[in-house]
Amino acid sequence: MSSDDFRALWDQIVPIGRDERTGGYLRYAFSEPELRLRDWFTAQARARDMPVEADGNGNLFAWWGDPLAGGAVLTGSHFDSVPQGGGYDGPLGIVSAFAAVDVLRARGVVPARPIAVAAFVEEEGARFGVPCLGSRLLTGAITPAHAAALTDRDGVSFAAALGAEPAGARPELLGRFTAFVELHVEQGLALADLDSPVAVANLIWPHGRWRFEFTGEANHAGTTPMTARRDPMLTFAFTVLAANKEARRLGAHATMARVRVAPNATNAIPSSVVGWLDARAAEEATVTELVEAVRAKAAERARRDGTLLAVTAESVTPPVGFDAALGERLRTLLRCPLLPTAAGHDAGVLAAHLPTAMLFVRNPTGVSHAPAEGANDEDCAAGVRALADVLAGLTGPAQPTAARPAQPIAPAEPA
Ligand code: HGY
Ligand code: MN
Ligand code: MN
């Protein structure tokens, strides 16, 4: 797999869902761009004689080998993006998985056990609000009823977008896998400072999303004296500053970047403001302390402003420690570093159900969830070779076809 080979496959999806004005991506679950990416996935699978299985939750699985044999190794990631997101977060793991299948076939490897490529739905939670929705449904971490009722900003429910009630937990499908390895663009600069194009993840920070609803009194922007207002925007603004201050105090990460104002008019004091807190830290207790501190300060300010406050946890992810033995096996095979991440992933959900690992591919800007997110083709090709080595190693000894004598699988040379 050369960088040109990677680029040829990658270029097939680059334009899909791209905002030409900004270079950002608008790939929301079941939106037109994501449906085109699903069609691309199915076409790639068909071109490789890989039957595609849908799990009834919006997730797709392309199989190399008998889907019912068991003992399969799963790889893949997600297609969806945050609004104006980067093009690599998610799709790199899916494109690299198909490319890794090509590499193994070119080496004459016939895996002793099946390999499946997954495309998980709604990993970002950008449309229906709950991240890793597809993998949470597959594993039973969220009920079909809860997922079905989630709605987007236009009031379209997840069930309506899916076209059916989600199937929910699929233990018999999950039980057919013995490991999951997700390749993902790095979301940070650790590799940029190291002489390695890939790394293995060892953990995911605990994190979550909390909805803060501020309710006040709608009134005229011009005729209402400042002393007579109950302005929820004021309480929200104070809360944003408090979140930033508390995160710095606790060495955590807090972001309030999504807000919904009603009626959102220039000359009307809002009746309500809803803001979402994304809180993350290395320790679960720190996340809890951060959210409680922000809630308490918001409540105190609400009393002063005469507004009401309601705080609801929308999704909470405990700390994830990836399978240490699998991680060490991959780190040794690839001769690469181990890295923690504060970003959530479907691998973080599946880690509770089967041995799971992540491979990170160097991102020279370190930026993610923005158009500046990137990776160079040489590093992406190195990531594909590394994933191929991992898949070959995990699916048992390579049985080369008669045409070639047994070849040791050389670890990927750093690009
Ligand atoms: O938000 C996250 O950490 C992930 O990108 N969904
Ligand atoms: Mn992401
Ligand atoms: Mn991702």
Side-chain angles (χ1 to χ4, degrees), residues 53-68:
E53 177 177 0
D55 73 345
N57 294 308
N59 305 314
L60 299 175
F61 300 86
W63 289 90
W64 179 13
D66 177 359
L68 301 178

Side-chain angles (χ1 to χ4, degrees), residues 371-404:
E373 176 186 279
N376 66 48
D377 291 351
E378 291 71 25
D379 286 349
C380 291
V384 169
R385 292 191 301 269
L387 181 60
D389 294 344
V390 164
L391 294 174
L394 292 178
T395 52
Q399 294 86 27
T401 54
R404 286 180 39 153

Side-chain angles (χ1 to χ4, degrees), residues 21-414:
R21 295 173 303 112
T22 62
Y25 283 85
L26 307 169
R27 294 166 169 170
Y28 311 128
F30 301 117
S31 64
E32 188 272 342
E34 205 241 13
L35 293 173
R36 284 175 58 195
L37 289 166
R38 287 166 176 268
D39 291 344
W40 179 87
F41 180 96
T42 304
Q44 292 301 310
R46 188 179 308 116
R48 293 170 177 79
D49 295 326
M50 296 173 75
V52 175
E53 177 177 0
D55 73 345
N57 294 308
N59 305 314
L60 299 175
F61 300 86
W63 289 90
W64 179 13
D66 177 359
L68 301 178
V73 175
L74 180 64
T75 185
S77 191
H78 61 96
F79 280 130
D80 67 307
S81 73
V82 298
Q84 297 295 340
Y88 289 79
D89 175 349
L92 182 64
I94 297 174
V95 172
S96 300
F98 282 120
V101 167
D102 297 343
V103 167
L104 292 177
R105 289 178 175 179
R107 291 179 187 170
V109 170
V110 178
R113 291 182 286 138
I115 289 173
V117 176
F120 287 106
V121 71
E122 185 70 347
E123 188 275 344
E124 297 293 359
R127 181 173 179 188
F128 297 100
V130 173
C132 300
L133 186 58
S135 51
R136 290 178 198 257
L137 275 164
L138 171 66
T139 58
I142 190 170
T143 65
H146 180 175
L150 294 171
T151 56
D152 67 10
R153 299 176 192 196
D154 300 322
V156 177
S157 71
F158 177 72
L162 177 64
E165 290 297 304
R170 295 285 313 275
E172 82 291 347
L173 169 56
L174 209 50
R176 287 188 249 150
F177 301 119
T178 54
F180 174 46
V181 181
E182 178 173 4
L183 182 145
H184 202 280
V185 66
E186 187 196 357
Q187 296 162 304
L189 280 170
L191 281 175
D193 303 331
L194 300 172
D195 183 24
S196 173
V198 298
V200 171
N202 56 356
L203 62 90
I204 295 179
W205 275 19
H207 59 284
R209 301 178 180 191
W210 285 261
R211 187 177 69 251
F212 280 62
E213 295 171 272
F214 306 91
T215 307
E217 183 177 73
N219 208 329
H220 194 294
T223 58
T224 310
M226 296 309 285
T227 53
R229 297 177 180 216
R230 292 197 294 120
D231 183 353
M233 188 64 88
L234 212 56
T235 320
F236 165 71
F238 175 85
T239 304
V240 174
L241 293 172
N244 187 282
K245 185 174 179 183
E246 292 305 312
R248 291 169 185 271
R249 177 177 68 86
L250 293 167
H253 295 177
T255 312
M256 295 192 84
R258 179 184 167 204
V259 63
R260 190 175 65 216
V261 184
N264 206 22
T266 306
N267 56 354
I269 300 167
S271 55
S272 80
V273 175
V274 183
W276 280 264
L277 170 67
D278 179 311
R280 312 190 188 209
E283 303 296 334
E284 204 162 15
T286 309
V287 175
T288 305
E289 184 179 353
L290 169 63
V291 175
E292 179 46 33
V294 176
R295 191 203 59 74
K297 287 189 177 285
E300 193 276 327
R301 180 71 201 206
R303 277 189 290 280
R304 285 172 51 190
D305 295 336
T307 54
L308 300 176
L309 169 67
V311 179
T312 310
E314 286 197 342
S315 72
V316 180
T317 303
V320 172
F322 288 115
D323 185 283
L326 179 59
E328 185 51 27
R329 182 175 172 187
L330 301 191
R331 194 197 62 75
T332 307
L333 172 68
L334 304 178
R335 296 201 304 271
C336 68
L338 278 176
L339 289 182
T341 181
H345 299 280
D346 292 307
V349 175
L350 268 74
H353 299 269
L354 69 159
T356 298
M358 288 194 75
L359 298 184
F360 290 134
V361 173
R362 179 161 49 196
N363 170 349
T365 68
V367 171
S368 185
H369 285 188
E373 176 186 279
N376 66 48
D377 291 351
E378 291 71 25
D379 286 349
C380 291
V384 169
R385 292 191 301 269
L387 181 60
D389 294 344
V390 164
L391 294 174
L394 292 178
T395 52
Q399 294 86 27
T401 54
R404 286 180 39 153
Q407 301 285 334
I409 299 174
E413 290 305 319

